Coordinates of all heavy atoms in Angstrom, one line a residue:
L484 N 138.0 281.3 12.9 CA 137.1 282.4 12.6 C 137.7 283.7 13.2 O 138.1 283.7 14.4 CB 135.7 282.1 13.2 CG 134.6 283.2 13.1 CD1 134.2 283.3 11.6 CD2 133.4 282.8 13.9
G485 N 137.7 284.7 12.4 CA 138.2 286.0 12.8 C 139.7 286.1 12.9 O 140.3 287.2 13.3
E486 N 140.5 285.1 12.6 CA 141.9 285.1 12.6 C 142.5 285.4 11.2 O 141.9 284.9 10.2 CB 142.5 283.8 13.2 CG 142.2 283.6 14.6 CD 142.9 282.4 15.2 OE1 143.9 281.9 14.6 OE2 142.4 281.8 16.2
L487 N 143.6 286.1 11.1 CA 144.2 286.5 9.9 C 144.6 285.3 9.1 O 145.3 284.4 9.6 CB 145.3 287.5 10.2 CG 145.9 288.1 8.9 CD1 145.0 289.1 8.4 CD2 147.2 288.8 9.3
L488 N 144.3 285.3 7.8 CA 144.8 284.3 6.9 C 145.5 285.0 5.8 O 145.0 285.8 5.0 CB 143.5 283.6 6.3 CG 143.8 282.5 5.3 CD1 144.5 281.3 5.9 CD2 142.4 282.0 4.7
A489 N 146.8 284.7 5.7 CA 147.7 285.4 4.7 C 147.7 284.5 3.4 O 147.9 283.3 3.5 CB 149.1 285.5 5.2
V490 N 147.4 285.2 2.3 CA 147.4 284.5 1.0 C 148.4 285.2 0.1 O 148.4 286.5 0.0 CB 146.0 284.6 0.3 CG1 146.0 284.0 -1.1 CG2 145.0 283.9 1.2
E491 N 149.3 284.5 -0.6 CA 150.3 285.1 -1.5 C 150.1 284.5 -2.9 O 150.0 283.3 -3.1 CB 151.7 284.8 -1.0 CG 152.8 285.5 -1.8 CD 154.2 285.3 -1.3 OE1 154.7 284.1 -1.4 OE2 154.7 286.2 -0.7
L492 N 150.2 285.4 -3.8 CA 150.1 285.1 -5.3 C 151.4 285.4 -5.9 O 151.9 286.6 -5.7 CB 148.9 285.9 -5.9 CG 148.7 285.7 -7.4 CD1 148.2 284.3 -7.7 CD2 147.8 286.8 -7.9
V493 N 152.0 284.5 -6.7 CA 153.2 284.8 -7.4 C 152.9 284.8 -8.9 O 152.3 283.8 -9.4 CB 154.3 283.7 -7.1 CG1 155.5 284.0 -7.8 CG2 154.5 283.7 -5.6
V494 N 153.2 285.9 -9.5 CA 153.0 286.0 -11.0 C 154.3 286.0 -11.6 O 155.2 286.9 -11.3 CB 152.2 287.3 -11.3 CG1 152.0 287.5 -12.8 CG2 150.9 287.4 -10.6
E495 N 154.6 285.1 -12.6 CA 155.8 285.0 -13.3 C 155.7 285.5 -14.7 O 154.7 285.2 -15.4 CB 156.4 283.6 -13.3 CG 156.7 283.0 -12.0 CD 157.2 281.6 -12.0 OE1 156.9 280.9 -13.0 OE2 157.9 281.2 -11.1
N496 N 156.6 286.4 -15.1 CA 156.6 286.8 -16.5 C 157.6 286.0 -17.3 O 158.9 286.2 -17.1 CB 157.0 288.3 -16.5 CG 157.1 288.8 -18.0 OD1 156.8 288.2 -18.9 ND2 157.6 290.1 -18.1
K497 N 157.2 285.1 -18.1 CA 158.0 284.2 -18.8 C 158.2 284.7 -20.3 O 158.7 283.9 -21.1 CB 157.5 282.8 -18.8 CG 157.4 282.2 -17.4 CD 157.0 280.8 -17.4 CE 157.1 280.2 -16.0 NZ 156.9 278.8 -15.9
T498 N 157.9 285.9 -20.5 CA 158.1 286.5 -21.9 C 159.5 287.2 -22.0 O 160.2 287.4 -21.0 CB 157.0 287.5 -22.2 OG1 157.1 288.7 -21.4 CG2 155.6 286.9 -22.0
A499 N 159.8 287.7 -23.2 CA 161.1 288.4 -23.4 C 160.9 289.9 -23.2 O 161.9 290.6 -23.5 CB 161.6 288.0 -24.8
S500 N 159.7 290.3 -22.9 CA 159.5 291.8 -22.7 C 158.9 292.0 -21.3 O 158.3 291.1 -20.7 CB 158.7 292.4 -23.8 OG 157.4 291.7 -23.8
S501 N 159.0 293.3 -20.8 CA 158.4 293.6 -19.5 C 156.8 293.7 -19.7 O 156.4 294.1 -20.8 CB 158.9 294.9 -19.0 OG 158.6 296.0 -19.8
V502 N 156.1 293.3 -18.7 CA 154.7 293.3 -18.7 C 154.1 294.0 -17.5 O 154.6 293.8 -16.4 CB 154.1 291.8 -18.8 CG1 152.6 291.8 -18.8 CG2 154.6 291.1 -20.0
E503 N 153.1 294.8 -17.7 CA 152.5 295.5 -16.6 C 151.2 294.7 -16.2 O 150.4 294.4 -17.0 CB 152.0 296.9 -16.9 CG 151.5 297.6 -15.7 CD 151.2 299.1 -15.9 OE1 152.1 299.8 -16.4 OE2 150.1 299.6 -15.6
Y504 N 151.2 294.2 -14.9 CA 150.1 293.4 -14.4 C 149.3 294.3 -13.4 O 149.9 295.1 -12.6 CB 150.7 292.2 -13.6 CG 151.3 291.2 -14.5 CD1 152.7 291.1 -14.7 CD2 150.5 290.3 -15.2 CE1 153.3 290.2 -15.5 CE2 151.1 289.3 -16.1 CZ 152.5 289.3 -16.2 OH 153.1 288.3 -17.0
Q505 N 148.0 294.0 -13.3 CA 147.2 294.5 -12.2 C 146.6 293.3 -11.5 O 146.0 292.4 -12.2 CB 146.1 295.4 -12.8 CG 145.2 295.9 -11.7 CD 144.1 296.9 -12.3 OE1 144.1 297.3 -13.4 NE2 143.1 297.2 -11.4
V506 N 146.7 293.3 -10.2 CA 146.1 292.2 -9.4 C 145.1 292.8 -8.5 O 145.3 293.8 -7.8 CB 147.2 291.5 -8.6 CG1 146.6 290.3 -7.8 CG2 148.3 291.0 -9.5
E507 N 143.9 292.2 -8.5 CA 142.8 292.8 -7.7 C 141.9 291.7 -7.0 O 141.6 290.7 -7.7 CB 141.8 293.6 -8.6 CG 140.7 294.3 -7.9 CD 139.9 295.1 -8.9 OE1 140.4 295.7 -9.8 OE2 138.7 295.2 -8.6
A508 N 141.7 291.9 -5.7 CA 140.8 291.0 -5.0 C 139.4 291.5 -5.0 O 139.1 292.7 -4.8 CB 141.3 290.9 -3.5
Q509 N 138.5 290.7 -5.4 CA 137.1 291.0 -5.5 C 136.4 291.0 -4.1 O 136.9 290.3 -3.3 CB 136.3 290.1 -6.5 CG 136.9 290.0 -7.9 CD 136.7 291.3 -8.6 OE1 135.6 291.8 -8.6 NE2 137.8 291.8 -9.3
P510 N 135.3 291.8 -3.9 CA 134.6 291.7 -2.6 C 134.1 290.4 -2.4 O 133.8 289.6 -3.3 CB 133.5 292.7 -2.8 CG 133.9 293.6 -4.0 CD 134.8 292.8 -4.9
S511 N 133.9 290.0 -1.1 CA 133.5 288.7 -0.6 C 132.5 288.9 0.5 O 132.7 289.8 1.4 CB 134.7 287.9 -0.2 OG 134.3 286.7 0.4
E512 N 131.5 288.0 0.6 CA 130.6 288.0 1.7 C 131.0 287.2 2.9 O 130.5 287.3 4.0 CB 129.2 287.5 1.2 CG 128.5 288.3 0.2 CD 127.2 287.8 -0.2 OE1 126.7 286.8 0.3 OE2 126.6 288.4 -1.1
T513 N 132.1 286.5 2.7 CA 132.6 285.6 3.8 C 134.0 286.0 4.3 O 134.4 285.4 5.3 CB 132.6 284.1 3.3 OG1 133.4 284.0 2.1 CG2 131.2 283.6 3.0
F514 N 134.7 286.9 3.7 CA 136.0 287.4 4.2 C 136.1 288.9 4.1 O 135.5 289.5 3.2 CB 137.1 286.8 3.3 CG 137.4 285.3 3.4 CD1 136.6 284.4 2.7 CD2 138.3 284.9 4.3 CE1 136.9 283.1 2.8 CE2 138.6 283.5 4.5 CZ 137.9 282.6 3.7
L515 N 136.8 289.4 5.1 CA 137.1 290.8 5.1 C 138.6 290.9 4.5 O 139.4 290.0 4.8 CB 137.1 291.5 6.5 CG 135.8 291.5 7.2 CD1 136.0 292.1 8.6 CD2 134.8 292.4 6.4
L516 N 138.9 291.9 3.8 CA 140.2 292.1 3.2 C 140.9 293.2 4.0 O 140.4 294.3 4.1 CB 140.1 292.5 1.7 CG 141.4 292.6 1.0 CD1 142.1 291.3 0.9 CD2 141.1 293.2 -0.4
A517 N 142.0 292.8 4.6 CA 142.8 293.8 5.4 C 144.0 294.2 4.6 O 144.9 293.5 4.3 CB 143.3 293.1 6.7
G518 N 144.0 295.5 4.2 CA 145.1 296.0 3.4 C 144.6 296.4 2.0 O 143.4 296.7 1.8
F519 N 145.5 296.5 1.1 CA 145.2 296.9 -0.3 C 144.4 295.9 -1.0 O 144.7 294.7 -0.9 CB 146.5 297.2 -1.0 CG 147.2 298.4 -0.5 CD1 148.4 298.3 0.2 CD2 146.8 299.7 -0.7 CE1 149.1 299.3 0.7 CE2 147.4 300.8 -0.2 CZ 148.6 300.6 0.5
R520 N 143.4 296.3 -1.8 CA 142.6 295.4 -2.6 C 143.2 295.2 -3.9 O 143.0 294.2 -4.6 CB 141.2 296.0 -2.7 CG 140.3 295.2 -3.6 CD 139.0 295.7 -3.9 NE 138.2 295.7 -2.7 CZ 137.0 296.2 -2.5 NH1 136.5 296.9 -3.5 NH2 136.4 296.1 -1.4
S521 N 144.0 296.1 -4.4 CA 144.5 296.0 -5.8 C 145.9 296.6 -5.8 O 146.2 297.5 -5.1 CB 143.5 296.7 -6.7 OG 144.1 297.6 -7.6
T522 N 146.7 296.1 -6.8 CA 148.0 296.6 -7.0 C 148.4 296.5 -8.5 O 147.8 295.7 -9.2 CB 149.1 295.9 -6.1 OG1 150.3 296.6 -6.2 CG2 149.3 294.5 -6.5
R523 N 149.3 297.4 -8.9 CA 149.7 297.3 -10.3 C 151.2 297.4 -10.3 O 151.8 298.2 -9.6 CB 149.1 298.5 -11.0 CG 149.5 298.6 -12.5 CD 148.8 299.8 -13.1 NE 147.4 299.5 -13.1 CZ 146.5 299.9 -14.0 NH1 146.9 300.6 -15.0 NH2 145.2 299.6 -13.9
A524 N 151.9 296.6 -11.1 CA 153.4 296.6 -11.1 C 153.8 296.1 -12.5 O 153.2 295.3 -13.1 CB 153.9 295.7 -10.0
R525 N 155.0 296.6 -12.9 CA 155.6 296.2 -14.1 C 156.6 295.1 -13.7 O 157.4 295.3 -12.8 CB 156.3 297.3 -14.8 CG 157.0 296.9 -16.1 CD 157.4 298.1 -17.0 NE 156.3 298.9 -17.4 CZ 155.5 298.6 -18.4 NH1 155.7 297.6 -19.1 NH2 154.5 299.4 -18.8
V526 N 156.6 293.9 -14.5 CA 157.5 292.8 -14.2 C 158.4 292.7 -15.3 O 158.0 292.6 -16.5 CB 156.7 291.5 -13.9 CG1 157.6 290.4 -13.6 CG2 155.7 291.7 -12.8
L527 N 159.7 292.6 -15.0 CA 160.7 292.5 -16.1 C 160.7 291.1 -16.7 O 160.2 290.2 -16.1 CB 162.1 292.8 -15.4 CG 162.3 294.2 -14.9 CD1 163.7 294.3 -14.2 CD2 162.2 295.2 -16.0
P528 N 161.3 291.0 -17.9 CA 161.4 289.6 -18.5 C 162.0 288.6 -17.6 O 163.0 288.9 -16.9 CB 162.3 289.8 -19.7 CG 162.2 291.3 -20.0 CD 162.0 292.0 -18.7
C529 N 161.4 287.4 -17.5 CA 161.8 286.3 -16.7 C 161.8 286.7 -15.2 O 162.4 286.0 -14.4 CB 163.2 285.8 -17.1 SG 163.2 285.2 -18.8
G530 N 161.0 287.7 -14.8 CA 160.9 288.2 -13.4 C 159.6 287.7 -12.8 O 158.8 287.0 -13.4
A531 N 159.5 288.0 -11.5 CA 158.3 287.6 -10.8 C 157.8 288.7 -9.9 O 158.5 289.6 -9.5 CB 158.6 286.3 -10.0
L532 N 156.5 288.7 -9.6 CA 155.8 289.6 -8.8 C 155.1 288.8 -7.7 O 154.4 287.9 -8.0 CB 154.8 290.4 -9.6 CG 153.8 291.3 -8.8 CD1 154.5 292.4 -8.1 CD2 152.7 291.8 -9.8
R533 N 155.3 289.2 -6.4 CA 154.7 288.5 -5.3 C 153.7 289.6 -4.7 O 154.1 290.7 -4.4 CB 155.7 288.1 -4.2 CG 156.6 287.0 -4.6 CD 157.5 286.6 -3.5 NE 158.4 285.6 -3.9 CZ 158.2 284.3 -3.8 NH1 157.0 283.9 -3.4 NH2 159.1 283.4 -4.2
V534 N 152.4 289.1 -4.6 CA 151.4 290.0 -4.0 C 150.8 289.2 -2.9 O 150.3 288.1 -3.0 CB 150.3 290.3 -5.1 CG1 149.2 291.2 -4.5 CG2 150.9 290.9 -6.3
A535 N 150.7 289.9 -1.7 CA 150.1 289.3 -0.5 C 148.8 289.9 -0.2 O 148.7 291.2 -0.3 CB 151.1 289.4 0.7
F536 N 147.8 289.1 0.2 CA 146.5 289.6 0.7 C 146.3 289.0 2.0 O 146.6 287.9 2.3 CB 145.4 289.1 -0.3 CG 145.5 289.7 -1.6 CD1 146.0 289.0 -2.7 CD2 144.9 291.0 -1.9 CE1 146.0 289.6 -4.0 CE2 145.0 291.6 -3.1 CZ 145.5 290.9 -4.2
N537 N 145.8 289.9 2.9 CA 145.5 289.4 4.3 C 143.9 289.3 4.4 O 143.2 290.3 4.3 CB 146.0 290.4 5.3 CG 147.5 290.4 5.3 OD1 148.1 289.4 5.3 ND2 148.1 291.6 5.3
L538 N 143.4 288.1 4.6 CA 142.0 287.9 4.7 C 141.6 287.5 6.1 O 142.4 286.9 6.8 CB 141.6 286.7 3.8 CG 142.1 286.8 2.3 CD1 141.8 285.5 1.6 CD2 141.5 288.0 1.7
V539 N 140.4 288.0 6.5 CA 139.9 287.7 7.8 C 138.5 287.0 7.6 O 137.6 287.7 7.1 CB 139.7 288.9 8.7 CG1 139.1 288.6 10.1 CG2 141.0 289.7 8.9
P540 N 138.4 285.7 7.9 CA 137.1 285.0 7.7 C 136.0 285.5 8.7 O 136.3 285.7 9.9 CB 137.4 283.6 8.0 CG 138.7 283.6 8.8 CD 139.4 284.8 8.5
I541 N 134.8 285.7 8.2 CA 133.7 286.2 9.0 C 132.6 285.2 9.0 O 131.5 285.5 9.4 CB 133.2 287.6 8.6 CG1 132.8 287.6 7.2 CG2 134.3 288.6 8.9 CD1 132.2 289.0 6.7
A542 N 132.9 284.0 8.5 CA 131.9 282.9 8.4 C 132.7 281.6 8.7 O 133.9 281.6 8.6 CB 131.2 282.9 7.1
V543 N 131.9 280.5 8.9 CA 132.6 279.2 9.1 C 132.1 278.2 8.1 O 131.1 278.5 7.4 CB 132.3 278.7 10.5 CG1 132.8 279.5 11.6 CG2 130.8 278.5 10.7
G544 N 132.9 277.2 7.9 CA 132.5 276.1 6.9 C 133.5 276.1 5.8 O 134.5 276.7 5.8
L545 N 133.1 275.5 4.7 CA 133.9 275.4 3.5 C 133.6 276.6 2.6 O 132.5 276.7 2.1 CB 133.6 274.1 2.7 CG 134.5 273.7 1.6 CD1 135.9 273.6 2.1 CD2 134.0 272.4 1.0
L546 N 134.5 277.5 2.5 CA 134.3 278.8 1.9 C 135.2 279.1 0.7 O 136.3 278.6 0.6 CB 134.6 279.9 2.9 CG 133.9 279.8 4.3 CD1 134.4 281.0 5.2 CD2 132.4 279.9 4.1
H547 N 134.6 279.9 -0.2 CA 135.4 280.4 -1.3 C 136.1 281.7 -0.9 O 135.4 282.6 -0.5 CB 134.6 280.7 -2.5 CG 134.1 279.5 -3.2 ND1 134.8 278.8 -4.1 CD2 132.9 278.9 -3.2 CE1 134.1 277.8 -4.6 NE2 132.9 277.8 -4.1
P548 N 137.4 281.8 -0.9 CA 138.1 283.0 -0.6 C 137.7 284.1 -1.7 O 137.2 283.7 -2.8 CB 139.6 282.7 -0.7 CG 139.7 281.2 -0.7 CD 138.4 280.7 -1.2
P549 N 138.0 285.3 -1.5 CA 137.7 286.3 -2.5 C 138.4 285.9 -3.8 O 139.5 285.5 -3.8 CB 138.3 287.6 -2.0 CG 138.4 287.4 -0.5 CD 138.6 285.9 -0.3
K550 N 137.7 286.2 -4.9 CA 138.3 285.9 -6.3 C 139.4 286.9 -6.5 O 139.2 288.1 -6.2 CB 137.2 286.0 -7.4 CG 137.8 285.7 -8.7 CD 136.8 286.0 -9.9 CE 135.7 285.1 -10.0 NZ 134.9 285.4 -11.2
I551 N 140.5 286.5 -6.9 CA 141.6 287.3 -7.3 C 141.8 287.4 -8.8 O 141.9 286.3 -9.4 CB 142.9 286.9 -6.6 CG1 142.8 287.0 -5.1 CG2 144.1 287.7 -7.1 CD1 143.9 286.4 -4.3
V552 N 141.7 288.6 -9.4 CA 141.8 288.7 -10.8 C 143.1 289.3 -11.2 O 143.5 290.3 -10.7 CB 140.6 289.6 -11.3 CG1 140.6 289.8 -12.8 CG2 139.3 289.0 -10.9
L553 N 143.7 288.7 -12.2 CA 145.0 289.2 -12.8 C 144.7 289.7 -14.2 O 144.1 289.1 -15.0 CB 146.0 288.0 -12.9 CG 147.3 288.2 -13.5 CD1 148.1 289.2 -12.7 CD2 148.0 286.9 -13.7
K554 N 145.1 291.0 -14.4 CA 144.9 291.6 -15.7 C 146.3 292.1 -16.3 O 147.1 292.5 -15.6 CB 144.0 292.8 -15.6 CG 142.6 292.5 -15.1 CD 141.8 293.8 -15.0 CE 140.4 293.5 -14.4 NZ 139.6 294.7 -14.3
W555 N 146.4 292.0 -17.6 CA 147.6 292.4 -18.3 C 147.3 292.6 -19.8 O 146.3 292.2 -20.3 CB 148.8 291.5 -18.1 CG 148.6 290.2 -18.9 CD1 149.2 289.9 -20.1 CD2 147.9 289.0 -18.5 NE1 148.8 288.6 -20.4 CE2 148.0 288.0 -19.5 CE3 147.1 288.7 -17.4 CZ2 147.4 286.8 -19.4 CZ3 146.4 287.5 -17.4 CH2 146.6 286.5 -18.4
K556 N 148.2 293.3 -20.5 CA 148.0 293.5 -22.0 C 149.0 292.6 -22.7 O 150.2 292.5 -22.3 CB 148.2 295.0 -22.3 CG 147.1 295.8 -21.9 CD 147.2 297.2 -22.5 CE 146.0 298.0 -22.1 NZ 146.0 299.4 -22.6
Q557 N 148.5 292.0 -23.8 CA 149.3 291.1 -24.6 C 149.0 291.3 -26.0 O 147.8 291.2 -26.4 CB 149.1 289.6 -24.2 CG 149.9 288.7 -25.0 CD 149.7 287.2 -24.5 OE1 149.1 287.0 -23.4 NE2 150.1 286.3 -25.2
D558 N 149.9 291.7 -26.8 CA 149.7 292.0 -28.2 C 148.6 293.0 -28.4 O 147.8 292.9 -29.3 CB 149.4 290.7 -29.0 CG 150.5 289.7 -29.0 OD1 151.7 290.1 -28.9 OD2 150.2 288.5 -28.9
G559 N 148.5 294.1 -27.6 CA 147.6 295.1 -27.7 C 146.2 294.8 -27.1 O 145.3 295.6 -27.1
Q560 N 146.0 293.6 -26.7 CA 144.7 293.2 -26.2 C 144.8 293.0 -24.6 O 145.8 292.5 -24.1 CB 144.2 291.9 -26.7 CG 143.8 292.0 -28.2 CD 143.2 290.6 -28.7 OE1 143.6 289.6 -28.3 NE2 142.2 290.8 -29.5
E561 N 143.7 293.4 -23.9 CA 143.7 293.3 -22.5 C 143.3 291.8 -22.2 O 142.2 291.3 -22.6 CB 142.7 294.2 -21.8 CG 142.9 294.3 -20.3 CD 142.2 295.5 -19.7 OE1 142.5 296.6 -20.1 OE2 141.4 295.3 -18.8
M562 N 144.1 291.2 -21.4 CA 143.9 289.8 -20.9 C 143.4 289.8 -19.5 O 143.8 290.7 -18.7 CB 145.1 288.9 -21.1 CG 145.8 289.1 -22.5 SD 144.7 288.5 -23.8 CE 144.9 286.8 -23.6
Q563 N 142.7 288.7 -19.1 CA 142.3 288.6 -17.7 C 142.2 287.2 -17.3 O 141.7 286.3 -18.1 CB 140.9 289.3 -17.6 CG 140.3 289.2 -16.2 CD 139.0 290.1 -16.1 OE1 139.0 291.2 -16.5 NE2 138.0 289.5 -15.6
Q564 N 142.6 286.9 -16.1 CA 142.5 285.5 -15.6 C 142.2 285.5 -14.1 O 142.8 286.3 -13.4 CB 143.8 284.8 -15.8 CG 143.8 283.3 -15.4 CD 145.0 282.6 -15.8 OE1 145.8 283.0 -16.6 NE2 145.2 281.4 -15.2
A565 N 141.3 284.6 -13.7 CA 141.0 284.5 -12.2 C 142.0 283.5 -11.6 O 142.3 282.5 -12.2 CB 139.6 284.0 -12.1
A566 N 142.4 283.9 -10.4 CA 143.3 283.0 -9.6 C 142.6 282.7 -8.3 O 141.5 283.3 -7.9 CB 144.6 283.7 -9.3
C567 N 143.1 281.8 -7.5 CA 142.6 281.4 -6.2 C 141.2 280.9 -6.2 O 140.3 281.5 -5.7 CB 142.7 282.6 -5.2 SG 142.5 282.2 -3.5
T568 N 141.0 279.8 -6.9 CA 139.7 279.2 -7.1 C 139.4 278.1 -6.1 O 138.3 277.5 -6.1 CB 139.5 278.6 -8.5 OG1 140.5 277.7 -8.8 CG2 139.6 279.8 -9.5
A569 N 140.4 277.8 -5.2 CA 140.2 276.7 -4.2 C 139.3 277.2 -3.1 O 139.0 278.3 -2.9 CB 141.6 276.3 -3.7
K570 N 138.8 276.2 -2.3 CA 138.0 276.5 -1.1 C 138.9 276.3 0.1 O 139.9 275.6 0.1 CB 136.8 275.6 -1.0 CG 135.8 275.8 -2.1 CD 134.6 274.8 -1.9 CE 133.6 275.0 -3.0 NZ 132.5 274.0 -2.8
V571 N 138.5 276.9 1.2 CA 139.2 276.8 2.5 C 138.2 276.5 3.6 O 137.1 277.0 3.5 CB 140.0 278.1 2.8 CG1 139.2 279.3 2.9 CG2 140.9 277.9 4.0
F572 N 138.5 275.6 4.5 CA 137.6 275.3 5.6 C 137.9 276.1 6.8 O 139.1 276.1 7.3 CB 137.7 273.8 6.0 CG 136.7 273.4 7.0 CD1 135.3 273.3 6.7 CD2 137.1 273.3 8.3 CE1 134.4 272.9 7.7 CE2 136.1 273.0 9.3 CZ 134.8 272.8 9.0
I573 N 137.0 276.9 7.3 CA 137.1 277.7 8.5 C 136.3 277.0 9.6 O 135.1 276.8 9.5 CB 136.6 279.1 8.3 CG1 137.3 279.8 7.1 CG2 136.7 279.9 9.6 CD1 138.8 279.9 7.3
Q574 N 137.1 276.6 10.6 CA 136.5 275.9 11.8 C 135.8 276.8 12.7 O 136.3 277.9 13.0 CB 137.6 275.1 12.5 CG 137.1 274.1 13.5 CD 138.2 273.2 14.0 OE1 139.2 273.1 13.4 NE2 137.9 272.6 15.2
P575 N 134.6 276.4 13.3 CA 134.0 277.3 14.3 C 134.9 277.4 15.5 O 135.6 276.4 15.8 CB 132.7 276.5 14.6 CG 132.5 275.6 13.5 CD 133.9 275.2 12.9
P576 N 134.8 278.5 16.3 CA 135.5 278.6 17.5 C 135.1 277.5 18.5 O 133.9 277.2 18.6 CB 135.3 280.0 18.0 CG 134.0 280.4 17.3 CD 133.9 279.6 16.0
D577 N 136.1 277.1 19.4 CA 135.8 276.2 20.4 C 135.2 276.9 21.6 O 135.9 277.6 22.3 CB 137.0 275.4 20.8 CG 136.8 274.4 21.9 OD1 135.6 274.1 22.2 OD2 137.8 273.8 22.3
L578 N 133.9 276.8 21.8 CA 133.2 277.6 22.8 C 133.4 277.1 24.2 O 133.2 277.8 25.2 CB 131.7 277.6 22.5 CG 131.3 278.2 21.2 CD1 129.8 278.1 21.0 CD2 131.7 279.6 21.1
S579 N 133.9 275.9 24.3 CA 134.2 275.3 25.7 C 135.4 275.9 26.4 O 135.5 275.9 27.6 CB 134.4 273.8 25.6 OG 135.6 273.5 24.9
T580 N 136.3 276.6 25.6 CA 137.5 277.3 26.2 C 137.2 278.7 26.5 O 138.1 279.4 27.0 CB 138.7 277.1 25.3 OG1 138.4 277.7 24.0 CG2 139.0 275.6 25.1
Q581 N 136.1 279.3 26.1 CA 135.8 280.7 26.3 C 135.3 280.9 27.7 O 134.5 280.1 28.2 CB 134.9 281.3 25.3 CG 135.5 281.3 23.9 CD 134.5 281.8 22.9 OE1 133.4 282.1 23.2 NE2 135.0 282.0 21.6
D582 N 135.6 282.1 28.3 CA 135.1 282.5 29.6 C 133.6 282.9 29.4 O 133.2 283.5 28.4 CB 135.8 283.6 30.2 CG 137.3 283.3 30.5 OD1 137.5 282.1 30.8 OD2 138.2 284.1 30.5
G583 N 132.8 282.6 30.4 CA 131.4 283.1 30.3 C 130.6 282.3 31.2 O 129.6 282.2 31.5

């Protein structure tokens, strides 16, 4: 609880043309987002984009991290896909080791 949790998303462009991607972390009631919430980058053919998000849990238990949404254009249409759908368990702090 309250300790930084680094999450990295890797987006691979497996097409023969460059693609502009937008990656955005949605707001969450159980995590604070430390740093940029969204980024946009052009990825060359057969290239990859690494995006890191720093999350700080503010609740305990089995939690859903913030939804991360990936957007791009394909054949003139805007495409969208959600990533990071797994849950993470945040353990309560050990109160027996705290001063007080």
Side-chain angles (χ1 to χ4, degrees):
L484 181 66
E486 292 186 23
L487 188 70
L488 177 66
V490 176
E491 184 177 74
L492 175 70
V493 179
V494 179
E495 295 180 340
N496 178 7
K497 296 186 177 186
T498 69
S500 58
S501 64
V502 177
E503 184 171 312
Y504 291 100
Q505 179 178 349
V506 182
E507 182 176 329
Q509 301 293 313
S511 170
E512 294 181 4
T513 55
F514 287 88
L515 296 176
L516 185 65
F519 293 106
R520 176 184 289 174
S521 129
T522 189
R523 181 177 295 214
R525 182 167 296 280
V526 181
L527 297 174
C529 300
L532 168 67
R533 292 183 182 275
V534 181
F536 292 99
N537 294 313
L538 307 176
V539 179
I541 56 174
V543 297
L545 192 58
L546 308 175
H547 287 280
K550 183 192 285 186
I551 297 175
V552 178
L553 175 66
K554 296 179 184 179
W555 71 98
K556 287 190 178 178
Q557 182 176 344
D558 299 326
Q560 290 187 323
E561 190 164 306
M562 310 297 284
Q563 179 173 310
Q564 182 173 348
C567 194
T568 58
K570 292 181 182 180
V571 62
F572 183 78
I573 304 298
Q574 188 169 343
D577 184 5
L578 299 177
S579 65
T580 60
Q581 293 182 353
D582 293 332

